[in-house]
Amino acid sequence: MLLVPVRNILAFQARSVCCIAVKSNGLINSNNTNFVIPKRHAVTDFVGIKTKSKVSDFIDRLQIMNPLQKSKYEANSWILYEKLIDQIPFDRIILKLNLPDTFNSWFIITELHLWMIFVRLMHEGTKGSMIRNFIMEALWNDVEFRSKKLATVSSDVRHRQIKELNDQLRGAIVGYDEGWLSNDMVLASMVWRRIFNKECNDPEQIELVVKYIRKQMSILQLQTFDSLFTKKDVKWIKFV
């Protein structure tokens, strides 16, 4: 499944069923849909963004306890996921980086962009963590949906491959956070390992990705929560 061409299924918005109404039902068990990323890995100090105060976070916790409010956050998170995925320049990135046109490449590119959003969301305290988890839930629902369209494989094989992607994503998030909090050399090392699978001998291609991450992150860190989550006005910069 991971090496099957995916260009014909990247039109996410053309799906016949809205992802908000479709929940994982068997292939991804309920224990694997809410992947909690340790907060220490996704909280950094950025110019222009104020960390949530304890009082604000407490108020958010009280509001989130309301079932209706939680359902509203969930629905908006899934819609945000759709918009984010629709706008990622997959074709251009694959072409520029000479990546294989496979499901695995789609997942790795998606993973990178969602990580950048997660870093921004971690500034929102409890509210940001909840939104991150809902987006992660939407991701795994999408992975299951796309995997079913790509190839006819047994549910056991599909479940095993999705579990592998889950393990890879957990490690990738920690690796990207380490690179982001360290320096370009560490970040470049992570890009080489994850995106290029240690098979890139062209440092300029690795540099392209590092610069793209730095530029995109600098924009996201200056974006307000309202524009990001409520208006869903997130535009990925052009991949050179």
Side-chain angles (χ1 to χ4, degrees):
M1 178 186 79
L2 299 182
L3 300 180
V4 177
V6 299
R7 197 174 296 274
N8 61 334
I9 57 104
L10 288 182
F12 185 72
Q13 65 272 32
R15 294 177 6 179
S16 59
V17 181
C18 179
C19 73
I20 298 176
V22 181
K23 293 287 184 175
S24 299
N25 214 0
L27 293 180
I28 309 174
N29 62 56
S30 59
N31 292 329
N32 286 338
T33 56
N34 191 17
F35 304 116
V36 179
I37 307 164
K39 192 171 181 180
R40 64 187 178 84
H41 289 307
V43 178
T44 51
D45 295 326
F46 297 101
V47 176
I49 295 293
K50 295 182 179 179
T51 303
K52 297 284 288 184
S53 69
K54 291 183 179 180
V55 175
S56 296
D57 195 45
F58 178 72
I59 294 175
D60 286 341
R61 287 175 185 269
L62 292 178
Q63 292 178 340
I64 290 169
M65 289 173 65
N66 184 328
L68 292 177
Q69 188 76 0
K70 185 175 181 180
S71 296
K72 180 180 177 181
Y73 274 110
E74 180 177 17
N76 275 287
S77 297
W78 283 57
I79 295 172
L80 176 60
Y81 170 82
E82 283 194 8
K83 285 188 170 291
L84 293 173
I85 298 302
D86 285 345
Q87 296 172 3
I88 296 175
F90 290 105
D91 288 346
R92 186 173 184 82
I93 294 175
I94 288 175
L95 180 64
K96 286 289 185 179
L97 301 181
N98 295 320
L99 297 176
D101 181 18
T102 63
F103 183 89
N104 193 51
S105 293
W106 171 84
F107 184 83
I108 289 173
I109 294 171
T110 299
E111 166 190 275
L112 171 64
H113 288 76
L114 290 185
W115 164 74
M116 290 192 280
I117 293 295
F118 293 161
V119 173
R120 171 62 186 89
L121 287 174
M122 287 303 94
H123 289 289
E124 302 300 327
T126 301
K127 181 168 58 179
S129 297
M130 182 180 65
I131 295 169
R132 176 205 60 198
N133 292 339
F134 283 142
I135 291 178
M136 194 74 86
E137 195 175 286
L139 167 66
W140 294 118
N141 181 83
D142 190 21
V143 166
E144 181 182 346
F145 179 89
R146 292 174 188 264
S147 66
K148 287 181 178 179
K149 294 192 66 175
L150 284 173
T152 303
V153 296
S154 67
S155 59
D156 290 340
V157 172
R158 186 181 296 111
H159 180 80
R160 184 172 66 252
Q161 292 181 332
I162 290 175
K163 185 178 184 302
E164 290 176 6
L165 292 178
N166 169 26
D167 294 338
Q168 292 172 16
L169 182 140
R170 287 171 177 265
I173 286 178
V174 174
Y176 281 128
D177 280 332
E178 181 184 7
W180 178 249
L181 296 174
S182 301
N183 52 56
D184 284 352
M185 186 177 296
V186 178
L187 183 57
S189 177
M190 177 57 196
V191 168
W192 175 69
R193 293 196 310 272
R194 182 58 179 155
I195 295 181
F196 295 101
N197 196 28
K198 302 180 181 179
E199 295 181 354
C200 178
N201 296 318
D202 184 356
E204 290 186 357
Q205 285 192 325
I206 299 176
E207 183 182 19
L208 267 181
V209 180
V210 172
K211 286 183 177 179
Y212 176 71
I213 293 173
R214 295 293 184 187
K215 289 179 180 179
Q216 184 67 67
M217 291 285 269
S218 65
I219 293 174
L220 287 174
Q221 301 316 311
L222 296 175
Q223 189 164 1
T224 65
F225 176 76
D226 182 62
S227 65
L228 174 65
F229 187 68
T230 306
K231 297 179 181 178
K232 300 171 185 60
D233 184 23
V234 180
K235 294 181 176 63
W236 303 114
I237 63 174
K238 183 178 179 180
F239 192 84
V240 179

PDB file of all heavy atoms in Angstrom, residues 8-36:
ATOM      1  N   ASN A   8      -3.646  10.106  -8.297  1.00  0.00           N
ATOM      2  CA  ASN A   8      -5.059  10.120  -8.690  1.00  0.00           C
ATOM      3  C   ASN A   8      -6.012  10.250  -7.520  1.00  0.00           C
ATOM      4  O   ASN A   8      -7.217  10.370  -7.713  1.00  0.00           O
ATOM      5  CB  ASN A   8      -5.391   8.835  -9.471  1.00  0.00           C
ATOM      6  CG  ASN A   8      -5.171   7.590  -8.641  1.00  0.00           C
ATOM      7  OD1 ASN A   8      -4.365   7.611  -7.736  1.00  0.00           O
ATOM      8  ND2 ASN A   8      -5.876   6.512  -8.963  1.00  0.00           N
ATOM      9  N   ILE A   9      -5.518  10.250  -6.286  1.00  0.00           N
ATOM     10  CA  ILE A   9      -6.451  10.374  -5.161  1.00  0.00           C
ATOM     11  C   ILE A   9      -6.113  11.557  -4.266  1.00  0.00           C
ATOM     12  O   ILE A   9      -6.568  11.641  -3.150  1.00  0.00           O
ATOM     13  CB  ILE A   9      -6.476   9.080  -4.323  1.00  0.00           C
ATOM     14  CG1 ILE A   9      -5.072   8.720  -3.822  1.00  0.00           C
ATOM     15  CG2 ILE A   9      -7.085   7.951  -5.054  1.00  0.00           C
ATOM     16  CD1 ILE A   9      -4.841   9.008  -2.409  1.00  0.00           C
ATOM     17  N   LEU A  10      -5.331  12.489  -4.787  1.00  0.00           N
ATOM     18  CA  LEU A  10      -4.956  13.641  -3.972  1.00  0.00           C
ATOM     19  C   LEU A  10      -6.026  14.727  -3.960  1.00  0.00           C
ATOM     20  O   LEU A  10      -5.911  15.693  -3.230  1.00  0.00           O
ATOM     21  CB  LEU A  10      -3.631  14.239  -4.464  1.00  0.00           C
ATOM     22  CG  LEU A  10      -2.404  13.380  -4.151  1.00  0.00           C
ATOM     23  CD1 LEU A  10      -1.149  14.086  -4.630  1.00  0.00           C
ATOM     24  CD2 LEU A  10      -2.299  13.097  -2.667  1.00  0.00           C
ATOM     25  N   ALA A  11      -7.047  14.594  -4.775  1.00  0.00           N
ATOM     26  CA  ALA A  11      -8.137  15.577  -4.775  1.00  0.00           C
ATOM     27  C   ALA A  11      -9.041  15.299  -3.592  1.00  0.00           C
ATOM     28  O   ALA A  11     -10.100  14.713  -3.705  1.00  0.00           O
ATOM     29  CB  ALA A  11      -8.917  15.491  -6.085  1.00  0.00           C
ATOM     30  N   PHE A  12      -8.612  15.760  -2.456  1.00  0.00           N
ATOM     31  CA  PHE A  12      -9.288  15.416  -1.193  1.00  0.00           C
ATOM     32  C   PHE A  12     -10.723  15.909  -1.158  1.00  0.00           C
ATOM     33  O   PHE A  12     -11.604  15.256  -0.645  1.00  0.00           O
ATOM     34  CB  PHE A  12      -8.482  16.015  -0.035  1.00  0.00           C
ATOM     35  CG  PHE A  12      -8.987  15.649   1.318  1.00  0.00           C
ATOM     36  CD1 PHE A  12      -8.819  14.370   1.807  1.00  0.00           C
ATOM     37  CD2 PHE A  12      -9.630  16.582   2.112  1.00  0.00           C
ATOM     38  CE1 PHE A  12      -9.254  14.030   3.064  1.00  0.00           C
ATOM     39  CE2 PHE A  12     -10.087  16.248   3.370  1.00  0.00           C
ATOM     40  CZ  PHE A  12      -9.892  14.968   3.841  1.00  0.00           C
ATOM     41  N   GLN A  13     -10.954  17.078  -1.733  1.00  0.00           N
ATOM     42  CA  GLN A  13     -12.278  17.657  -1.633  1.00  0.00           C
ATOM     43  C   GLN A  13     -13.294  16.926  -2.491  1.00  0.00           C
ATOM     44  O   GLN A  13     -14.497  17.177  -2.379  1.00  0.00           O
ATOM     45  CB  GLN A  13     -12.254  19.142  -2.025  1.00  0.00           C
ATOM     46  CG  GLN A  13     -11.890  19.391  -3.466  1.00  0.00           C
ATOM     47  CD  GLN A  13     -10.409  19.519  -3.659  1.00  0.00           C
ATOM     48  OE1 GLN A  13      -9.638  18.893  -2.955  1.00  0.00           O
ATOM     49  NE2 GLN A  13     -10.002  20.346  -4.611  1.00  0.00           N
ATOM     50  N   ALA A  14     -12.877  16.028  -3.364  1.00  0.00           N
ATOM     51  CA  ALA A  14     -13.799  15.340  -4.251  1.00  0.00           C
ATOM     52  C   ALA A  14     -14.408  14.103  -3.619  1.00  0.00           C
ATOM     53  O   ALA A  14     -15.165  13.391  -4.245  1.00  0.00           O
ATOM     54  CB  ALA A  14     -13.066  14.939  -5.543  1.00  0.00           C
ATOM     55  N   ARG A  15     -14.071  13.842  -2.387  1.00  0.00           N
ATOM     56  CA  ARG A  15     -14.604  12.666  -1.718  1.00  0.00           C
ATOM     57  C   ARG A  15     -16.121  12.757  -1.616  1.00  0.00           C
ATOM     58  O   ARG A  15     -16.680  13.825  -1.391  1.00  0.00           O
ATOM     59  CB  ARG A  15     -14.009  12.535  -0.320  1.00  0.00           C
ATOM     60  CG  ARG A  15     -12.542  12.259  -0.388  1.00  0.00           C
ATOM     61  CD  ARG A  15     -11.830  12.185   0.925  1.00  0.00           C
ATOM     62  NE  ARG A  15     -12.649  12.264   2.095  1.00  0.00           N
ATOM     63  CZ  ARG A  15     -12.131  12.189   3.305  1.00  0.00           C
ATOM     64  NH1 ARG A  15     -10.861  12.009   3.463  1.00  0.00           N
ATOM     65  NH2 ARG A  15     -12.902  12.289   4.378  1.00  0.00           N
ATOM     66  N   SER A  16     -16.774  11.628  -1.785  1.00  0.00           N
ATOM     67  CA  SER A  16     -18.236  11.618  -1.790  1.00  0.00           C
ATOM     68  C   SER A  16     -18.830  11.784  -0.409  1.00  0.00           C
ATOM     69  O   SER A  16     -19.982  12.160  -0.259  1.00  0.00           O
ATOM     70  CB  SER A  16     -18.737  10.308  -2.403  1.00  0.00           C
ATOM     71  OG  SER A  16     -18.245   9.203  -1.663  1.00  0.00           O
ATOM     72  N   VAL A  17     -18.060  11.483   0.623  1.00  0.00           N
ATOM     73  CA  VAL A  17     -18.559  11.603   1.984  1.00  0.00           C
ATOM     74  C   VAL A  17     -17.667  12.553   2.760  1.00  0.00           C
ATOM     75  O   VAL A  17     -16.464  12.401   2.766  1.00  0.00           O
ATOM     76  CB  VAL A  17     -18.572  10.237   2.699  1.00  0.00           C
ATOM     77  CG1 VAL A  17     -19.123  10.388   4.107  1.00  0.00           C
ATOM     78  CG2 VAL A  17     -19.420   9.253   1.913  1.00  0.00           C
ATOM     79  N   CYS A  18     -18.253  13.536   3.395  1.00  0.00           N
ATOM     80  CA  CYS A  18     -17.469  14.501   4.180  1.00  0.00           C
ATOM     81  C   CYS A  18     -16.808  13.786   5.329  1.00  0.00           C
ATOM     82  O   CYS A  18     -17.423  12.988   6.026  1.00  0.00           O
ATOM     83  CB  CYS A  18     -18.380  15.601   4.712  1.00  0.00           C
ATOM     84  SG  CYS A  18     -17.516  16.807   5.720  1.00  0.00           S
ATOM     85  N   CYS A  19     -15.526  14.058   5.543  1.00  0.00           N
ATOM     86  CA  CYS A  19     -14.794  13.315   6.557  1.00  0.00           C
ATOM     87  C   CYS A  19     -15.345  13.557   7.955  1.00  0.00           C
ATOM     88  O   CYS A  19     -15.147  12.755   8.853  1.00  0.00           O
ATOM     89  CB  CYS A  19     -13.311  13.669   6.522  1.00  0.00           C
ATOM     90  SG  CYS A  19     -12.928  15.300   7.177  1.00  0.00           S
ATOM     91  N   ILE A  20     -16.063  14.676   8.149  1.00  0.00           N
ATOM     92  CA  ILE A  20     -16.599  14.944   9.473  1.00  0.00           C
ATOM     93  C   ILE A  20     -17.633  13.897   9.850  1.00  0.00           C
ATOM     94  O   ILE A  20     -17.813  13.573  11.016  1.00  0.00           O
ATOM     95  CB  ILE A  20     -17.249  16.340   9.517  1.00  0.00           C
ATOM     96  CG1 ILE A  20     -16.200  17.408   9.226  1.00  0.00           C
ATOM     97  CG2 ILE A  20     -17.883  16.612  10.863  1.00  0.00           C
ATOM     98  CD1 ILE A  20     -16.760  18.786   9.158  1.00  0.00           C
ATOM     99  N   ALA A  21     -18.312  13.358   8.862  1.00  0.00           N
ATOM    100  CA  ALA A  21     -19.367  12.403   9.142  1.00  0.00           C
ATOM    101  C   ALA A  21     -18.868  10.972   9.129  1.00  0.00           C
ATOM    102  O   ALA A  21     -19.606  10.042   9.409  1.00  0.00           O
ATOM    103  CB  ALA A  21     -20.481  12.547   8.106  1.00  0.00           C
ATOM    104  N   VAL A  22     -17.583  10.771   8.752  1.00  0.00           N
ATOM    105  CA  VAL A  22     -17.040   9.415   8.665  1.00  0.00           C
ATOM    106  C   VAL A  22     -16.007   9.223   9.751  1.00  0.00           C
ATOM    107  O   VAL A  22     -15.008   9.916   9.780  1.00  0.00           O
ATOM    108  CB  VAL A  22     -16.374   9.178   7.287  1.00  0.00           C
ATOM    109  CG1 VAL A  22     -15.839   7.772   7.211  1.00  0.00           C
ATOM    110  CG2 VAL A  22     -17.377   9.414   6.184  1.00  0.00           C
ATOM    111  N   LYS A  23     -16.199   8.297  10.632  1.00  0.00           N
ATOM    112  CA  LYS A  23     -15.252   8.007  11.694  1.00  0.00           C
ATOM    113  C   LYS A  23     -14.603   6.655  11.444  1.00  0.00           C
ATOM    114  O   LYS A  23     -15.200   5.764  10.849  1.00  0.00           O
ATOM    115  CB  LYS A  23     -15.973   7.961  13.052  1.00  0.00           C
ATOM    116  CG  LYS A  23     -16.515   9.307  13.484  1.00  0.00           C
ATOM    117  CD  LYS A  23     -15.409  10.220  13.903  1.00  0.00           C
ATOM    118  CE  LYS A  23     -15.944  11.536  14.440  1.00  0.00           C
ATOM    119  NZ  LYS A  23     -14.904  12.391  14.947  1.00  0.00           N
ATOM    120  N   SER A  24     -13.380   6.474  11.902  1.00  0.00           N
ATOM    121  CA  SER A  24     -12.712   5.192  11.780  1.00  0.00           C
ATOM    122  C   SER A  24     -13.549   4.133  12.459  1.00  0.00           C
ATOM    123  O   SER A  24     -14.037   4.323  13.551  1.00  0.00           O
ATOM    124  CB  SER A  24     -11.335   5.259  12.442  1.00  0.00           C
ATOM    125  OG  SER A  24     -10.553   6.216  11.801  1.00  0.00           O
ATOM    126  N   ASN A  25     -13.664   2.998  11.816  1.00  0.00           N
ATOM    127  CA  ASN A  25     -14.585   2.000  12.323  1.00  0.00           C
ATOM    128  C   ASN A  25     -13.993   0.607  12.183  1.00  0.00           C
ATOM    129  O   ASN A  25     -14.512  -0.220  11.482  1.00  0.00           O
ATOM    130  CB  ASN A  25     -15.882   2.090  11.534  1.00  0.00           C
ATOM    131  CG  ASN A  25     -17.085   1.774  12.395  1.00  0.00           C
ATOM    132  OD1 ASN A  25     -16.945   1.492  13.574  1.00  0.00           O
ATOM    133  ND2 ASN A  25     -18.246   1.821  11.798  1.00  0.00           N
ATOM    134  N   GLY A  26     -12.899   0.315  12.799  1.00  0.00           N
ATOM    135  CA  GLY A  26     -12.374  -1.034  12.779  1.00  0.00           C
ATOM    136  C   GLY A  26     -10.904  -1.097  12.464  1.00  0.00           C
ATOM    137  O   GLY A  26     -10.133  -1.724  13.172  1.00  0.00           O
ATOM    138  N   LEU A  27     -10.473  -0.458  11.372  1.00  0.00           N
ATOM    139  CA  LEU A  27      -9.078  -0.567  10.980  1.00  0.00           C
ATOM    140  C   LEU A  27      -8.169   0.190  11.919  1.00  0.00           C
ATOM    141  O   LEU A  27      -7.019  -0.175  12.129  1.00  0.00           O
ATOM    142  CB  LEU A  27      -8.889  -0.048   9.543  1.00  0.00           C
ATOM    143  CG  LEU A  27      -9.558  -0.903   8.467  1.00  0.00           C
ATOM    144  CD1 LEU A  27      -9.293  -0.302   7.111  1.00  0.00           C
ATOM    145  CD2 LEU A  27      -9.032  -2.329   8.524  1.00  0.00           C
ATOM    146  N   ILE A  28      -8.654   1.278  12.445  1.00  0.00           N
ATOM    147  CA  ILE A  28      -7.883   2.037  13.425  1.00  0.00           C
ATOM    148  C   ILE A  28      -8.673   1.994  14.711  1.00  0.00           C
ATOM    149  O   ILE A  28      -9.689   2.645  14.837  1.00  0.00           O
ATOM    150  CB  ILE A  28      -7.697   3.498  12.982  1.00  0.00           C
ATOM    151  CG1 ILE A  28      -7.148   3.539  11.553  1.00  0.00           C
ATOM    152  CG2 ILE A  28      -6.782   4.234  13.917  1.00  0.00           C
ATOM    153  CD1 ILE A  28      -7.065   4.922  11.005  1.00  0.00           C
ATOM    154  N   ASN A  29      -8.206   1.232  15.677  1.00  0.00           N
ATOM    155  CA  ASN A  29      -9.006   1.102  16.886  1.00  0.00           C
ATOM    156  C   ASN A  29      -8.994   2.391  17.682  1.00  0.00           C
ATOM    157  O   ASN A  29      -8.147   3.247  17.502  1.00  0.00           O
ATOM    158  CB  ASN A  29      -8.520  -0.071  17.756  1.00  0.00           C
ATOM    159  CG  ASN A  29      -7.097   0.126  18.236  1.00  0.00           C
ATOM    160  OD1 ASN A  29      -6.784   1.125  18.859  1.00  0.00           O
ATOM    161  ND2 ASN A  29      -6.235  -0.834  17.954  1.00  0.00           N
ATOM    162  N   SER A  30      -9.964   2.518  18.556  1.00  0.00           N
ATOM    163  CA  SER A  30     -10.185   3.788  19.272  1.00  0.00           C
ATOM    164  C   SER A  30      -8.990   4.209  20.101  1.00  0.00           C
ATOM    165  O   SER A  30      -8.786   5.372  20.362  1.00  0.00           O
ATOM    166  CB  SER A  30     -11.417   3.648  20.176  1.00  0.00           C
ATOM    167  OG  SER A  30     -11.229   2.588  21.100  1.00  0.00           O
ATOM    168  N   ASN A  31      -8.168   3.262  20.510  1.00  0.00           N
ATOM    169  CA  ASN A  31      -7.017   3.607  21.347  1.00  0.00           C
ATOM    170  C   ASN A  31      -5.905   4.259  20.549  1.00  0.00           C
ATOM    171  O   ASN A  31      -4.971   4.820  21.101  1.00  0.00           O
ATOM    172  CB  ASN A  31      -6.470   2.346  22.027  1.00  0.00           C
ATOM    173  CG  ASN A  31      -7.431   1.797  23.057  1.00  0.00           C
ATOM    174  OD1 ASN A  31      -8.169   2.561  23.669  1.00  0.00           O
ATOM    175  ND2 ASN A  31      -7.442   0.487  23.225  1.00  0.00           N
ATOM    176  N   ASN A  32      -5.985   4.180  19.223  1.00  0.00           N
ATOM    177  CA  ASN A  32      -4.902   4.695  18.398  1.00  0.00           C
ATOM    178  C   ASN A  32      -5.263   5.989  17.682  1.00  0.00           C
ATOM    179  O   ASN A  32      -4.520   6.451  16.840  1.00  0.00           O
ATOM    180  CB  ASN A  32      -4.504   3.652  17.346  1.00  0.00           C
ATOM    181  CG  ASN A  32      -3.723   2.521  17.956  1.00  0.00           C
ATOM    182  OD1 ASN A  32      -3.143   2.684  19.012  1.00  0.00           O
ATOM    183  ND2 ASN A  32      -3.721   1.368  17.303  1.00  0.00           N
ATOM    184  N   THR A  33      -6.436   6.558  17.984  1.00  0.00           N
ATOM    185  CA  THR A  33      -6.842   7.759  17.257  1.00  0.00           C
ATOM    186  C   THR A  33      -6.533   9.047  17.997  1.00  0.00           C
ATOM    187  O   THR A  33      -6.644  10.112  17.440  1.00  0.00           O
ATOM    188  CB  THR A  33      -8.350   7.703  16.956  1.00  0.00           C
ATOM    189  OG1 THR A  33      -9.055   7.539  18.186  1.00  0.00           O
ATOM    190  CG2 THR A  33      -8.670   6.558  16.015  1.00  0.00           C
ATOM    191  N   ASN A  34      -6.140   8.954  19.228  1.00  0.00           N
ATOM    192  CA  ASN A  34      -5.898  10.157  20.017  1.00  0.00           C
ATOM    193  C   ASN A  34      -4.449  10.144  20.498  1.00  0.00           C
ATOM    194  O   ASN A  34      -4.147   9.803  21.617  1.00  0.00           O
ATOM    195  CB  ASN A  34      -6.863  10.186  21.210  1.00  0.00           C
ATOM    196  CG  ASN A  34      -6.840  11.532  21.902  1.00  0.00           C
ATOM    197  OD1 ASN A  34      -6.369  12.518  21.338  1.00  0.00           O
ATOM    198  ND2 ASN A  34      -7.335  11.578  23.104  1.00  0.00           N
ATOM    199  N   PHE A  35      -3.556  10.488  19.584  1.00  0.00           N
ATOM    200  CA  PHE A  35      -2.146  10.359  19.889  1.00  0.00           C
ATOM    201  C   PHE A  35      -1.647  11.606  20.604  1.00  0.00           C
ATOM    202  O   PHE A  35      -1.588  12.675  20.034  1.00  0.00           O
ATOM    203  CB  PHE A  35      -1.352  10.152  18.597  1.00  0.00           C
ATOM    204  CG  PHE A  35      -1.842   8.973  17.813  1.00  0.00           C
ATOM    205  CD1 PHE A  35      -2.401   9.161  16.562  1.00  0.00           C
ATOM    206  CD2 PHE A  35      -1.787   7.710  18.338  1.00  0.00           C
ATOM    207  CE1 PHE A  35      -2.863   8.094  15.848  1.00  0.00           C
ATOM    208  CE2 PHE A  35      -2.243   6.640  17.631  1.00  0.00           C
ATOM    209  CZ  PHE A  35      -2.786   6.808  16.371  1.00  0.00           C
ATOM    210  N   VAL A  36      -1.294  11.473  21.861  1.00  0.00           N
ATOM    211  CA  VAL A  36      -0.883  12.611  22.672  1.00  0.00           C
ATOM    212  C   VAL A  36       0.607  12.847  22.516  1.00  0.00           C
ATOM    213  O   VAL A  36       1.417  11.960  22.765  1.00  0.00           O
ATOM    214  CB  VAL A  36      -1.213  12.369  24.161  1.00  0.00           C
ATOM    215  CG1 VAL A  36      -0.750  13.537  24.989  1.00  0.00           C
ATOM    216  CG2 VAL A  36      -2.714  12.155  24.326  1.00  0.00           C
TER     217      VAL A  36
END
